[in-house]
Amino acid sequence: SDHIGGISSVIGEIETGTVILPQIPEEIIPATESYTDLLRTIEQKSLDVRYPAQNETLKLDDNTYITFLASVENYEELNNYSIVCKLVHGDNSFLFTGDIQSEAEEAIVRSGADVSADVLKVPHHGSTTSSSYYFLKNVRPEYAVFEVGAFNDYGHPHNAVLRRYEEFGCKIYRTDRYGSVVFISNGKDIYVVTEKTYADS
């Protein structure tokens, strides 16, 4: 629900033709109210549903495309079925990872996918289950965005994970400190706009 809790409202407000979902094994399909609401909205609005294949590319314009990178194996953990996609705009690249854990991180890299990116949406809110050294060594992001709520019950992001990103020299943005974080790309340069300012003490 922390990822799709408001998606039914979004689809209700924005003209939508196709919803892209991960292909989840029947035995672990979520029975949550959020997921049920999404399926109900898709049916009510007669929307198309697509389940992207590994390395399938969606072209947005001559300079911009999205490549879907997961999932490449069968997993027991639902988080590993998160949609993982890489957005490329000219010379700039952005990797969105959902809640994948180290098992899926490793599988994606081993598949030969190009996971290198300027901007990384940090997997699973900076949990210790993700952001493995092996994965970060292949992504090598300049910017890392941690989507976390202030004083969240899970203790995200974990200090050990933060240190790992710092070791790679990443510029770190946390939504609990900066609020919304917006990246603007002209295909060559990336500019960052944040809702709030934050100064390290």
Side-chain angles (χ1 to χ4, degrees):
S1 61
D2 60 319
H3 286 257
I4 66 165
I7 193 64
S8 295
S9 298
V10 172
I11 292 174
E13 294 295 325
I14 296 176
E15 184 176 349
T16 306
T18 301
V19 177
I20 297 174
L21 295 175
Q23 188 77 59
I24 303 171
E26 187 172 347
E27 60 271 18
I28 60 172
I29 289 178
T32 61
E33 184 177 346
S34 298
Y35 193 72
T36 303
D37 284 347
L38 170 60
L39 298 181
R40 186 182 301 116
T41 301
I42 289 171
E43 183 176 2
Q44 289 173 347
K45 297 180 72 69
S46 300
L47 303 177
D48 292 328
V49 175
R50 283 180 56 188
Y51 303 98
Q54 172 74 1
N55 293 323
E56 181 179 342
T57 296
L58 181 64
K59 188 174 181 180
L60 303 183
D61 60 39
D62 290 340
N63 203 35
T64 313
Y65 61 90
I66 295 173
T67 301
F68 297 95
L69 306 180
S71 62
V72 297
E73 293 183 1
N74 293 320
Y75 306 103
E76 294 182 3
E77 174 55 55
L78 179 61
N79 282 338
N80 285 323
Y81 286 94
S82 296
I83 291 280
V84 176
C85 59
K86 180 176 178 177
L87 169 66
V88 175
H89 177 57
D91 296 332
N92 304 145
S93 54
F94 306 77
L95 187 63
F96 301 92
T97 56
D99 266 357
I100 61 168
Q101 299 178 350
S102 55
E103 183 182 8
E105 291 176 349
E106 182 178 344
I108 293 169
V109 173
R110 281 193 284 109
S111 75
D114 178 10
V115 295
S116 62
D118 300 307
V119 180
L120 172 64
K121 199 293 291 180
V122 172
H124 203 191
H125 317 283
S127 165
T128 55
T129 61
S130 310
S131 297
S132 64
Y133 183 88
Y134 176 69
F135 184 65
L136 292 183
K137 184 175 69 172
N138 284 274
V139 180
R140 293 199 171 274
E142 180 179 356
Y143 303 94
V145 181
F146 289 79
E147 293 186 353
V148 290
F151 310 110
N152 64 85
D153 294 338
Y154 301 98
H156 295 156
H158 196 279
N159 286 334
V161 174
L162 282 168
R163 285 195 298 270
R164 201 172 298 147
Y165 281 90
E166 290 168 355
E167 288 172 11
F168 277 91
C170 299
K171 298 172 185 173
I172 294 173
Y173 290 90
R174 297 169 47 163
T175 56
D176 60 338
R177 294 179 174 178
Y178 290 94
S180 298
V181 183
V182 177
F183 290 86
I184 301 169
S185 164
N186 59 14
K188 291 189 177 296
D189 302 302
I190 294 175
Y191 305 92
V192 187
V193 179
T194 61
E195 180 183 5
K196 298 183 290 187
T197 57
Y198 175 81
D200 292 319
S201 56

